[in-house]
Amino acid sequence: MSVMELFDLRGKRALVTGASSGIGRSVALAYVEAGAELAIAARNLDTLEVLAEEIAAAGGRAVPIACDVTRQDQVTAMVARATEQLGGIDIAVCNAGIVSVTPLLDMPLEEFERVQNTNVIGVFLTAQAAAKAMVGQGRGGSIITTASMSGRIVNIPQQVGHYCTSKAAVIHLTKAMAVEFAPHGIRVNSISPGYIMTELVEPLAQYHRLWEPKIPLGRIGRSEELTGLYLYLASAASSYMTGSDLVIDGGYCLP
């Protein structure tokens, strides 16, 4: 098999959550370009339908599905519809996530729980449902979770202790799933981005000038700069990789 064939996703069916914007949107577009058929999921169906139209205009196929990943019934329905519409599922990208800036001393329990529910429980429910579908198919598959460098370090100066907690949990949950799903031929890996200019980061403009001097590459990243890594983990090129957390942060975590 040639190098280019290793990265080819033609004939593969992928589910991407959090696909309406940011990293998820960029990953969805990259997977279509690589040949995959998609199910794209998020809370906002209108935005997903616009993306699906854009993908169709480029010659690809994407099935938009409204889903709140904190609701098990909606996640189950999402995976069922994705497998029905696409004829199966080979790749699942558990990408939906949220963040807010609140000091832990002042943080209401409800806010802490809200971040854990989306960032951790949402990943668990999506990965579990996708893995069950993959086991039923008997062909294995690849599950990719979006963690964060915040699962390895504590962000300064913004106060996001609940977010750091959630992403550390995602990294370790990914490793546990990798061990348990391996006998079924399902690989599970996480990607830990650094500061990437997405809709989650744009509102934190007051911090941008403080971050950039600490990033060896001297700038905040772009979501499309992550897509090669998501493609690698989805493809046959990473067939011997599971349980890994890959950091892509412009060197932020090095000092």
Side-chain angles (χ1 to χ4, degrees):
M1 184 179 293
S2 71
V3 169
M4 298 308 295
E5 287 174 328
L6 286 174
F7 289 90
D8 192 347
L9 296 186
R10 283 177 294 182
K12 299 295 185 181
R13 292 74 53 91
L15 166 67
V16 181
T17 67
S20 60
S21 62
I23 294 171
R25 186 179 193 278
S26 293
V27 170
L29 290 170
Y31 281 1
V32 168
E33 187 175 347
E37 291 186 291
L38 293 185
I40 49 176
R43 290 189 176 99
N44 190 331
L45 183 59
D46 291 342
T47 305
L48 291 175
E49 289 176 339
V50 172
L51 177 58
E53 290 173 2
E54 180 181 343
I55 289 171
R61 182 189 180 201
V63 178
I65 305 172
C67 180
D68 178 348
V69 297
T70 69
R71 295 276 304 277
Q72 187 170 24
D73 58 339
Q74 292 191 26
V75 171
T76 300
M78 170 186 66
V79 172
R81 184 177 173 203
T83 55
E84 178 184 359
Q85 293 287 312
L86 301 179
I89 183 170
D90 305 295
I91 303 154
V93 180
C94 308
N95 174 71
I98 58 173
V99 68
S100 60
V101 179
T102 305
L104 288 172
L105 281 175
D106 302 323
M107 186 176 295
L109 175 60
E110 293 77 12
E111 183 174 354
F112 189 90
E113 289 178 332
R114 183 172 64 90
V115 170
Q116 309 313 309
N117 286 342
T118 298
N119 294 4
V120 184
I121 292 176
V123 166
F124 164 69
L125 292 175
T126 303
Q128 182 190 53
K132 286 181 178 179
M134 292 173 183
V135 169
Q137 294 166 178
R139 297 190 303 271
S142 176
I143 296 173
I144 304 161
T145 65
T146 298
S148 171
M149 70 174 185
S150 302
R152 293 169 171 259
I153 55 97
V154 175
N155 300 82
I156 299 172
Q158 71 273 28
Q159 295 168 310
V160 289
H162 51 348
Y163 182 78
C164 294
T165 300
S166 71
K167 293 303 185 177
V170 168
I171 292 170
H172 215 63
L173 173 61
T174 297
K175 294 178 184 296
M177 291 190 297
V179 172
E180 293 197 24
F181 298 171
H184 302 287
I186 300 170
R187 300 182 296 106
V188 193
N189 295 282
S190 59
I191 294 175
S192 284
Y195 291 120
I196 306 296
M197 190 58 73
T198 66
E199 287 81 353
L200 287 180
V201 170
E202 285 175 356
L204 307 179
Q206 71 269 33
Y207 298 112
H208 295 179
R209 63 180 178 81
L210 301 175
W211 298 338
E212 290 184 339
K214 299 179 181 179
I215 301 172
L217 288 184
R219 62 177 176 83
I220 296 172
R222 303 183 301 274
S223 59
E224 59 266 27
E225 293 181 293
L226 305 178
T227 56
L229 193 48
Y230 281 89
L231 175 58
Y232 170 68
L233 291 178
S235 71
S238 62
S239 59
Y240 197 56
M241 176 174 285
T242 196
S244 293
D245 176 56
L246 304 179
V247 178
I248 181 165
D249 64 353
Y252 185 92
C253 292
L254 294 176

